[in-house]
Amino acid sequence: MDAAPRAAASTEAPVWRDPARTPDERADALLRQMTIAEKVAQLYGVWVGASDDGDDVAPHQHDMSEELDLDAILPAGLGQLTRPFGTAPVDPAVGALSLQRAQQRIAAANRFGIPALAHEECLAGFATWGATAYPVPLSWGATFDPDLVREIGARIGSDMRAVGVHQGLAPVLDVVRDARWGRVEETIGEDPYLVGTVATAYIQGVESAGIVATLKHFVGYSASRGGRNLAPVSVGPRELADVLLPPFEMAIRESGVRSVMNSYTDLDGIPTAADARLLTGILRDEWGFTGTVVADYFSIAFLKELHGTSETWTDAARDALRAGVDVELPTVKTFGADLVAAVERGDVDEALIDRALRRVLAQKAALGLLDPDWSPVPPALAGAPVDAGAVRGTVDLDPPANRALARRAAEQAVVLLRNDGVLPLSAGGAPRIAVIGPTADDPYAVLGCYSFPAHVGVRHPEVPLGIALPTLRESLAAEFPGARFEYAAGTSIDGGETAGFAEAVAAASRADVVVLALGDRAGLFGRGTSGEGCDAGDLSLPGAQQALLDAVLAAGAPTVVTLLAGRPYALGAAPQRAAAIVQSFFAGEEGTGAIAGVISGRVNPSGRLPVSVPADPGAQPSTYLAARLGRHNEVSNIDPTPAYAFGHGLGYSPFVWSDVQASATAIATDGTVTVSLTVGNAGARDGAEVVQLYLHDPVASVVQPVQRLIAYARVDVAAGARVRVSFAVPADLAAFTGVDGRRIVEPGEIVLGFGRSSADIVATCGVRLTGDAPRPVGSHRARHATVTVER
C-alpha cells in the first residue's frame, strides 16, 4: 500500500519513488523530507516475540530486551524486523503471511509508506522451522569446494527471498586462532585464504538470490584471549593485517556483499562498535565498501554495559554512529527517543544520522522497498489465499533438491583421518557391528548451534523437529541391512558418567568392528559443548568421552572412531591405535548418511581438514600458520605439533603426483610464475584429490609462517586417469606487512610447495623474486593464482 501522497504536495510521484533514479539519488530525496524522528526510526530494528526472561539466543538478551509499544513506534517508521521466522517455530507459509501483514501495518503507519527490511540468520541454512539444515561452515571449509558452497548460498537465499526476507546474517569470516573458542563451528577454518574463498562463494550465492548477505564479525572476534567468547583481543598489527582482515577484504572486493556486522570484542582496548579506524577508515575509505554496517545484537548498548567506554545509552549511540555503525540490532535500545532528543538539542550531530540513513535508504531502494509497485506479498504466497489455515503447509523449505545438495555437501565434507585398511567395511555378509558412544543415537549430533532445532527448537520440546534427522545408528542400519547391531551409549556427551562403560566394552568385545561415535552437543551460552558461549578450557573430549575411547580401544576389536563435533579434539592414543578415524563437523541433516556412506565405501571420502587436530589438548592456542618459534623446539617442553595437520585427509583412491615443473626459477616482484604437476588416480574407483599450494619464505624482513596456503584445486579424477594441474602464481601472493606497516612484495627466495596437507609437502619449486627494493602493494593487489586443469 502506497502512503506517499500524504508526504507530497504534488500529485507527481516523488523522486524517491522513481526506480529510474539511482538508489543514492532516491535516498537523498527522501532524506530531505524526513523529520529527525523519522530518520532515526529507519536506523533500528524491533524484535517482536523475543524472550526477556533469560532464555537467551543472544548475549544478555534478558538484560537488553524491553516491551515495546509498537503503536507508538510505527508512525515514525521502522528500519528492520528482526527474525520474524527465527524467533519461534512457525509454519513457513503462515510465517510468510504473518510477515506480509506486519509489513502492511508498518507501511500504513508511517507517512511515507516505507516497509521494514526483514533479516534472518542463515549460517547453515535458513534458520527457521522446517528449513534445510546444511552442514555448518567448518564443513564448508572441509570440502575445499567454493562452487558447491556457492550453490548452497544461492539455495538458502532463494528460500529466504520466497517468504519475504531481505537480509541474511551470514557468513562468518573469522579465522580460527584458538580452537577452544566455542564458535569454531561457525567459522570456515584456520587459514585466511580458505576462509576468504569459500565465504566469498557463499556470499555470491546468497546475493544472486536477491538477499543482502552480511559479513561477520568484523574483526578479531576469533582471536579473543583464552578462546573465551567476547573476551578482549590483543593481536598485533601484522596478525590483524595478514591473517584476520584478508578474508573480509577479499569478500568486499569480489563478492558484491552489501552489509557488514561489527564484532563484539575490543581490539587492543577499542570496542569494535566504536572503532572508526576499522568501520570507516579500513572498511570504507580503504576498501571502498558502500553498504550498511549493522550492529551485532546489543553491541551498541554493550559500549555502556560491558566495555565501559560510553556513559549513557545516547553516548553509546553517538559513539557507534561516529565509528560507522548504521543500524542498531536486534531491537531499539540506544537509537530511541533519547537519541532523537539529543539530535534535536544539537548534542548529537544530525549529519551522523543522515550519513547512516543515506546508506539504509539506498539499500531499501535497491531492494525495491521504495518502489511505487512494492507489494508486501512474499513470492511464495503470490495468488494464495490470505487465511492462515488455507496456506498452512503450502511452502516447503526442505524439498528434495535441497536435501540432495545437503547430502552432496555432507559427503564432500567428511574427513577420513586414519585408516589401517579396515575401511571401507563390506556391506555383504552379516558382520557384528557394535555402535557405541553418546552421539550415535542423537538426532541433534549433526546440527550446529545456529540450526533452528538447536538454536530455538530446543526451547519448544512440544513442537516436532520439522526436518528428518536420522541418527548415525539409524543410518548405519540402513547402510548395512545384513549386519547384526548392538548399541551402547557408554556415557553422555558431557555428563562424565562411567557406569555405562562395562556395557560398552562388553559390546565391543563381541563385535567384528566397532563404530565409536563421539563429539559435541551444540548449544548457546554454556548449554552445549560447542557453539556461541560454549568455550572449552582445553581440547580434551567433553565429559568422560576420552575414558570411553580408551576403554573401547582396549577391548581389542577394530574400532572406527567417528567424530560428530563442532571443533577438533585431541584423541589420546587413537591416532596410533584406532583402526580408522572419521571426522565430521556438524554435517547437517544428511550428515549421518554421509558418514555411513564413507564407512561402507559408498562414498569415497574427499574432505580435508580446515583446522588442525591437536595431539595435546593443552597445547593451545596453536595454528598451522605458526612461525618457527611457534613450532616444536628444544626450548619448551610443550609440543604443539598436531596429530593431523591442516589440509589432511585420506580417501579410497591412491593418487600419484608426478612431473612437477615451474615456468621459471626467477621472476620480478611484479611477475608471475606457473607451477604444475600431474595427478594420477592409480586406484580402481573414481575420486577427488585436493591439491594445495603453499608458500614458504625462508628469509624475510619480518617473521613469517613456515607455510601458508596460497591456492588450492579440488579435482575429480577417474580411475586410471591423469590430469595436469597448473597454478599461475602472481608475485603479489608473497606479500606481507613489512616493518613500516606497508604491505610489500620483498625480493628474495620463496619456495612454492605442492602439499597433501600443510605438513605433507610432496614437491617444491624454488623461485627467486628479483628487484632492487620491496614493492608496495595495496588493496587492488592480486589475491589468487589462476588454476588450470587439463584432462
Side-chain angles (χ1 to χ4, degrees):
M1 113 180 9
D2 189 345
R6 287 175 284 159
S10 168
T11 57
E12 183 180 347
V15 169
W16 60 269
R17 284 287 191 196
D18 185 357
R21 301 295 189 108
T22 69
D24 287 340
E25 290 173 334
R26 298 171 71 183
D28 282 334
L30 179 54
L31 182 153
R32 288 192 291 268
Q33 300 184 39
M34 301 176 82
T35 68
I36 291 173
E38 289 168 335
K39 290 178 179 181
V40 172
Q42 291 295 318
L43 305 184
Y44 58 73
V46 297
W47 196 356
V48 178
S51 169
D52 61 0
D53 61 3
D55 208 1
D56 301 345
V57 296
H60 293 267
Q61 180 181 321
H62 59 292
D63 299 327
M64 298 295 173
S65 296
E66 300 173 359
E67 188 172 344
L68 298 173
D69 183 350
L70 291 178
D71 289 331
I73 288 175
L74 292 184
L78 180 62
Q80 292 218 9
L81 278 170
T82 292
R83 297 178 64 171
F85 291 87
T87 299
V90 60
D91 174 87
V94 174
L97 182 59
S98 176
L99 178 57
Q100 172 186 327
R101 291 171 175 169
Q103 292 282 39
Q104 289 170 323
R105 178 186 177 189
I106 292 164
N110 73 84
R111 68 189 181 104
F112 297 102
I114 305 172
L117 186 152
H119 77 257
E120 286 289 350
E121 299 284 358
C122 59
L123 185 80
F126 180 11
T128 190
W129 186 84
T132 305
Y134 293 92
V136 298
L138 198 58
S139 274
W140 306 351
T143 70
F144 277 72
D145 191 345
D147 291 338
L148 173 64
V149 175
R150 188 178 294 106
E151 287 186 56
I152 293 172
R155 193 166 290 275
I156 292 171
S158 295
D159 286 343
M160 291 194 294
R161 188 69 171 167
V163 294
V165 176
H166 306 102
Q167 181 170 3
L169 303 187
V172 170
L173 283 83
D174 294 291
V175 178
V176 175
R177 303 301 282 166
D178 189 334
R180 295 174 298 178
W181 188 51
R183 304 190 78 165
V184 166
E185 63 174 71
E186 301 179 42
T187 74
I188 293 167
E190 67 180 272
D191 179 82
Y193 186 73
L194 179 66
V195 172
T197 50
V198 172
T200 294
Y202 177 78
I203 296 160
Q204 290 167 340
V206 169
E207 290 276 357
S208 73
I211 292 292
V212 175
T214 308
L215 307 186
K216 60 185 193 182
H217 308 87
F218 189 71
V219 61
Y221 195 12
S222 60
S224 58
R225 295 179 192 165
R228 295 178 60 247
N229 197 41
L230 272 70
V233 175
S234 53
V235 301
R238 286 176 187 81
E239 183 175 354
L240 179 67
D242 292 346
V243 177
L244 300 177
L245 286 174
F248 290 93
E249 184 179 7
M250 183 186 295
I252 295 294
R253 292 290 186 188
E254 299 177 10
S255 72
V257 67
R258 289 180 283 175
S259 192
V260 171
M261 176 179 280
N262 67 274
S263 169
Y264 278 130
T265 54
D266 73 77
L267 186 60
D268 194 26
I270 308 298
T272 305
D275 195 338
R277 179 181 64 102
L278 290 174
L279 300 183
T280 297
I282 291 177
L283 184 63
R284 296 190 185 280
D285 297 342
E286 184 177 338
W287 295 350
F289 178 66
T290 59
T292 58
V293 173
V294 300
D296 204 346
Y297 284 13
F298 306 117
S299 63
I300 299 176
F302 289 169
L303 295 176
K304 173 182 180 292
E305 289 294 281
L306 298 185
H307 296 295
T309 57
S310 302
E311 185 174 0
T312 67
W313 300 126
T314 299
D315 290 343
R318 178 203 61 210
D319 295 345
L321 286 163
R322 281 179 177 171
V325 176
D326 301 315
V327 179
E328 180 178 29
L329 296 180
T331 198
V332 59
K333 181 68 176 180
T334 70
F335 279 22
D338 288 347
L339 176 61
V340 173
V343 175
E344 290 174 339
R345 291 193 306 268
D347 294 342
V348 174
D349 189 352
E350 187 174 355
L352 294 176
I353 305 297
D354 289 351
R355 183 177 70 170
L357 178 61
R358 187 172 289 108
R359 296 163 184 159
V360 167
L361 293 179
Q363 193 161 91
K364 285 194 171 185
L367 289 167
L369 300 182
L370 304 185
D371 290 356
D373 61 351
W374 169 79
S375 169
V377 180
L381 296 186
V386 294
D387 175 71
V391 301
R392 186 181 301 275
T394 61
V395 174
D396 185 2
L397 296 180
D398 190 32
N402 281 22
R403 294 193 73 94
L405 182 58
R407 183 179 312 118
R408 182 153 57 98
E411 289 175 352
Q412 289 189 195
V414 175
V415 185
L416 180 60
L417 299 181
R418 171 177 166 82
N419 185 19
D420 70 358
V422 69
L423 297 183
L425 294 180
S426 171
R432 294 170 297 177
I433 301 176
V435 180
I436 298 171
T439 61
D441 206 32
D442 180 1
Y444 287 86
V446 292
L447 299 177
C449 79
Y450 269 82
S451 67
F452 186 85
H455 198 67
V456 176
V458 291
R459 297 185 290 117
H460 299 272
E462 75 285 359
V463 178
L465 285 171
I467 53 176
L469 288 173
T471 67
L472 181 60
R473 181 184 179 187
E474 292 168 337
S475 290
L476 287 168
E479 194 76 28
F480 297 95
R484 291 171 290 166
F485 286 94
E486 189 172 356
Y487 166 71
T491 189
S492 67
I493 289 174
D494 60 343
E497 307 91 347
T498 59
F501 281 20
E503 179 187 8
V505 170
S509 65
R510 291 188 290 266
D512 296 318
V513 67
V514 176
V515 176
L516 178 57
L518 308 171
D520 279 316
R521 180 185 69 258
L524 291 164
F525 311 118
R527 298 194 293 271
T529 61
S530 175
E532 185 174 358
C534 298
D535 310 315
D538 63 28
L539 295 182
S540 301
L541 284 163
Q545 291 186 70
Q546 183 63 57
L548 176 64
L549 171 56
D550 294 340
V552 170
L553 289 175
T559 299
V560 180
V561 178
T562 307
L563 284 304
L564 296 86
R567 62 160 64 86
Y569 287 105
L571 301 173
Q576 293 78 43
R577 296 178 57 195
I581 302 175
V582 177
Q583 174 78 66
S584 69
F585 297 109
F586 290 149
E589 63 184 42
E590 294 290 327
T592 60
I595 294 167
V598 166
I599 291 173
S600 73
R602 176 176 54 81
V603 175
N604 190 351
S606 60
R608 301 293 186 266
L609 282 177
V611 285
S612 305
V613 172
D616 182 342
Q620 300 301 318
S622 62
T623 167
Y624 101 90
L625 287 173
R628 295 176 190 177
L629 290 182
R631 299 197 169 201
H632 178 54
N633 54 50
E634 298 77 21
V635 297
S636 173
N637 62 312
I638 296 176
D639 183 357
T641 304
Y644 299 103
F646 171 86
H648 172 75
L650 307 175
Y652 300 145
S653 297
F655 289 99
V656 178
W657 294 9
S658 62
D659 194 19
V660 174
Q661 294 181 352
S663 62
T665 57
I667 60 171
T669 55
D670 61 355
T672 298
V673 63
T674 298
V675 293
S676 57
L677 83 167
T678 297
V679 177
N681 184 345
R685 60 183 298 173
D686 300 347
E689 178 70 302
V690 178
V691 180
Q692 302 158 46
L693 186 65
Y694 292 89
L695 186 145
H696 170 60
D697 193 342
V699 179
S701 56
V702 300
V703 173
Q704 293 293 292
V706 175
Q707 300 287 355
R708 62 180 174 93
L709 184 73
I710 60 168
Y712 60 88
R714 181 187 173 95
V715 290
D716 295 316
V717 187
R722 304 199 312 169
V723 300
R724 188 74 178 168
V725 183
S726 300
F727 298 87
V729 181
D732 283 7
L733 300 191
F736 58 85
T737 301
V739 174
D740 62 0
R742 295 184 305 164
R743 182 172 277 110
I744 57 172
V745 179
E746 197 169 63
E749 187 80 13
I750 62 170
V751 180
L752 301 177
F754 289 104
R756 290 193 169 96
S757 77
S758 59
D760 184 9
I761 306 299
V762 175
T764 61
C765 300
V767 179
R768 176 161 290 277
L769 302 180
T770 62
D772 295 331
R775 180 175 68 89
V777 295
S779 291
H780 293 283
R781 67 191 181 280
R783 290 180 175 81
H784 306 281
T786 301
V787 181
T788 304
V789 179
E790 300 175 77
R791 300 185 183 277

